[in-house]
Amino acid sequence: DTGVSQDPRHKITKRGQNVTFRCDPISEHNRLYWYRQTLGQGPEFLTYFQNEAQLEKSRLLSDRFSAERPKGSFSTLEIQRTEQGDSAMYLCASSSGTGASPLHFGNGTRLTVT
Amino acid sequence: QQPVQSPQAVILREGEDAVINCSSSKALYSVHWYRQKHGEAPVFLMILLKGGEQKGHEKISASFNEKKQQSSLYLTASQLSYSGTYFCGTDKPGSSNTGKLIFGQGTTLQVKP
């Protein structure tokens, strides 16, 4: 169990640029989640996958956000035309998906939009 | 819809006890508890399910009152390593077992020597 890894750890970008983050879940986990966390708040659900299928996307999520998990393994989260309000910690988590399963979080990607 | 945690912050001396509460206005299927240290990922502590089942660390104690839609996390004989921010996450009937959690705003716990 090598844990959930995310890359990069930090990303600074200018407003209007596109950014892409990567998440590698625990290998035997078939569920993968993206959450967003701002300072002083709990994580906020964005979207999740069961294997390669994206099962749900938060209604709060702008169309500028897209996520993929092409082979049911790693996932990418892309934000197009970034805005200052997108600045946050983007957390990836995975779970076995069997019953009520714990979420195993990665250390996150901290995005700063200038 | 976001669960409400109380208190917002707690300061303890080593060896003291604390209780962190999590309340929801909606019917719940399960309550998850996580601890996050500054700059680190949230770490799983416990899941409490409707019906009484619990999954988690043996040294962690928690309760889930389904009728009141509340959960409490009990931290006894606190250690310096208990310091961090504690989050409860809830899901609802219809979203049960999806891992799609709504997290509270967190309770910051500081344990001093």
Side-chain angles (χ1 to χ4, degrees):
Chain A
D1 181 355
T2 57
V4 177
S5 62
Q6 294 187 244
D7 184 68
R9 289 296 306 276
H10 304 274
K11 178 72 177 178
I12 300 173
T13 191
K14 292 185 177 179
R15 188 175 54 186
Q17 298 294 306
N18 299 344
V19 294
T20 301
F21 311 140
R22 177 180 171 122
C23 171
D24 287 272
I26 293 171
S27 58
E28 61 267 27
H29 285 179
N30 56 29
R31 284 193 178 169
L32 185 147
Y33 307 81
W34 287 98
Y35 280 80
R36 176 172 62 191
Q37 186 176 29
T38 54
L39 197 62
Q41 298 295 318
E44 175 191 22
F45 170 79
L46 296 180
T47 188
Y48 86 105
F49 295 82
Q50 172 99 16
N51 299 313
E52 66 274 11
Q54 186 173 17
L55 296 187
E56 189 166 344
K57 185 175 175 180
S58 170
R59 285 173 289 179
L60 301 175
L61 205 57
S62 160
D63 290 343
R64 297 183 294 105
F65 288 71
S66 62
E68 294 183 341
R69 194 183 183 196
K71 296 183 179 179
S73 56
F74 73 93
S75 175
T76 58
L77 177 69
E78 181 183 17
I79 309 174
Q80 296 183 328
R81 304 181 303 281
T82 52
E83 302 172 357
Q84 287 188 321
D86 297 332
S87 295
M89 176 73 82
Y90 290 84
L91 294 167
C92 176
S94 68
S95 78
S96 64
T98 53
S101 308
L103 300 182
H104 297 260
F105 284 90
N107 284 324
T109 294
R110 180 166 296 284
L111 173 66
T112 302
V113 181
T114 61
Chain B
Q1 206 171 12
Q2 180 183 33
V4 176
Q5 291 185 229
S6 62
Q8 286 190 322
V10 184
I11 299 176
L12 299 174
R13 294 285 181 189
E14 270 189 295
E16 292 182 339
D17 302 338
V19 180
I20 301 173
N21 301 302
C22 175
S23 298
S24 174
S25 60
K26 302 289 185 180
L28 299 176
Y29 175 80
S30 70
V31 178
H32 296 224
W33 287 96
Y34 291 82
R35 178 173 61 215
Q36 185 175 31
K37 295 181 181 286
H38 183 69
E40 298 182 8
V43 173
F44 168 74
L45 297 176
M46 177 163 283
I47 296 175
L48 301 104
L49 298 169
K50 188 175 180 179
E53 184 181 354
Q54 295 187 2
K55 298 181 182 181
H57 298 282
E58 293 179 356
K59 295 188 177 180
I60 299 290
S61 173
S63 65
F64 181 20
N65 187 322
E66 298 167 31
K67 288 185 179 179
K68 292 186 177 180
Q69 293 154 192
Q70 293 176 345
S71 177
S72 296
L73 186 70
Y74 304 98
L75 303 169
T76 57
S78 59
Q79 304 171 17
L80 294 176
S81 61
Y82 288 9
S83 294
T85 301
Y86 289 77
F87 293 101
C88 68
T90 60
D91 66 7
K92 309 185 300 295
S95 297
S96 57
N97 292 337
T98 64
K100 187 185 76 171
L101 302 178
I102 302 172
F103 284 93
Q105 80 281 15
T107 295
T108 300
L109 176 70
Q110 185 180 5
V111 181
K112 294 185 173 181

